[in-house]
Amino acid sequence: EAGVAQSPRYKIIEKRQSVAFWCNPISGHATLYWYQQILGQGPKLLIQFQNNGVVDDSQLPKDRFSAERLKGVDSTLKIQPAKLEDSAVYLCASRYGGRGGNEQFFGPGTRLTVL
Amino acid sequence: QKEVEQDPGPLSVPEGAIVSLNCTYSNSAFQYFMWYRQYSRKGPELLMYTYSSGNKEDGRFTAQVDKSSKYISLFIRDSQPSDSATYLCAMGGANTGGFKTIFGAGTRLFVKA
């Protein structure tokens, strides 16, 4: 079974530039999460999708971050414009859901450096 | 007060030692308790998953949950250099339309050969 795919793996941009990350979850997983992990901290949830609908985006800085999950499969996370404090690893995770399906499977992450 | 508190370490132990990792939490609504392992430059992977108070064992790993004290632990027996990683505790529960997880900051573990 293929895991969660993310691209790019690394990205370096200057502040005020835009950037986008892509995630392809495990096939059949209805729930998709985007997390931000700052160095030395645990992952912090940015947004959660159930199929193609948003379940929780309470911690997403909506003035600069946006995310979509078209057709309930792939997802993109965009930052526009980026700030220095956005430097972090952006993790995508997916979950099957339903009975016995609470495990979240994580991708390798995209490491963003904002200069 | 953070919902989940975890000592970031680092924790350095010799090979073969018993390792104890701990977290406290404040939200009594949490229903699921998990431990994730994260190697450098990789995403977290689920190690242990428990639903109720008590112990759960899987090979060299034992997860312990004490809901009355809001305290969870992970014990690693006969630690190996390959166990060197960051260990994240996580608490979860159902929210509207889904399942939400809150992570601790992670404890960095080094097992020396």
Side-chain angles (χ1 to χ4, degrees):
Chain A
E1 178 184 72
V4 176
Q6 289 188 250
S7 68
R9 290 296 311 277
Y10 305 92
K11 191 73 176 178
I12 300 174
I13 61 172
E14 295 191 351
K15 60 183 179 184
R16 292 187 288 275
Q17 285 187 322
S18 301
V19 65
F21 312 126
W22 173 81
C23 173
N24 181 231
I26 293 173
S27 178
H29 280 198
T31 309
L32 185 147
Y33 308 81
W34 282 102
Y35 289 91
Q36 180 192 59
Q37 186 174 25
I38 292 172
L39 186 65
Q41 298 182 21
K44 183 185 87 170
L45 180 68
L46 292 175
I47 189 167
Q48 176 183 345
F49 292 94
Q50 182 72 19
N51 295 309
N52 60 348
V54 175
V55 172
D56 184 351
D57 64 356
S58 57
Q59 297 193 87
L60 187 73
K62 298 180 186 66
D63 58 333
R64 298 184 301 106
F65 286 65
S66 64
E68 60 181 6
R69 189 181 184 197
L70 298 176
K71 300 180 182 179
V73 183
D74 293 8
S75 177
T76 56
L77 176 70
K78 297 179 181 177
I79 307 175
Q80 180 179 17
K83 292 185 175 181
L84 296 177
E85 58 261 35
D86 297 332
S87 294
V89 175
Y90 291 84
L91 294 163
C92 178
S94 70
R95 183 175 73 91
Y96 173 73
R99 186 173 296 180
N102 284 329
E103 179 178 356
Q104 292 185 40
F105 293 85
F106 284 83
T110 296
R111 184 175 297 271
L112 174 67
T113 302
V114 182
L115 303 175
Chain B
Q1 181 187 15
K2 290 183 181 179
E3 283 192 280
V4 180
E5 298 275 3
Q6 182 176 13
D7 185 339
L11 180 63
S12 183
V13 301
E15 183 176 358
I18 296 174
V19 175
S20 172
L21 304 168
N22 311 292
C23 286
T24 58
Y25 63 97
S26 58
N27 189 344
S28 57
F30 288 135
Q31 302 165 306
Y32 304 91
F33 305 89
M34 296 154 283
W35 286 95
Y36 282 81
R37 178 174 61 195
Q38 186 173 24
Y39 290 113
S40 180
R41 299 188 182 274
K42 302 282 188 183
E45 57 178 341
L46 184 67
L47 203 56
M48 298 286 285
Y49 181 108
T50 58
Y51 178 76
S52 58
S53 284
N55 294 352
K56 182 177 181 179
E57 190 173 317
D58 184 1
R60 296 184 296 110
F61 299 89
T62 299
Q64 194 173 76
V65 175
D66 182 347
K67 286 189 175 181
S68 62
S69 301
K70 297 190 180 68
Y71 189 88
I72 71 169
S73 300
L74 178 71
F75 299 96
I76 307 174
R77 291 184 299 280
D78 187 24
S79 56
Q80 303 295 310
S82 58
D83 295 328
S84 298
T86 295
Y87 290 80
L88 299 156
C89 64
M91 326 281 171
N95 62 355
T96 303
F99 180 83
K100 184 174 183 176
T101 302
I102 307 294
F103 287 85
T107 299
R108 290 192 70 189
L109 172 67
F110 297 95
V111 181
K112 299 172 292 185

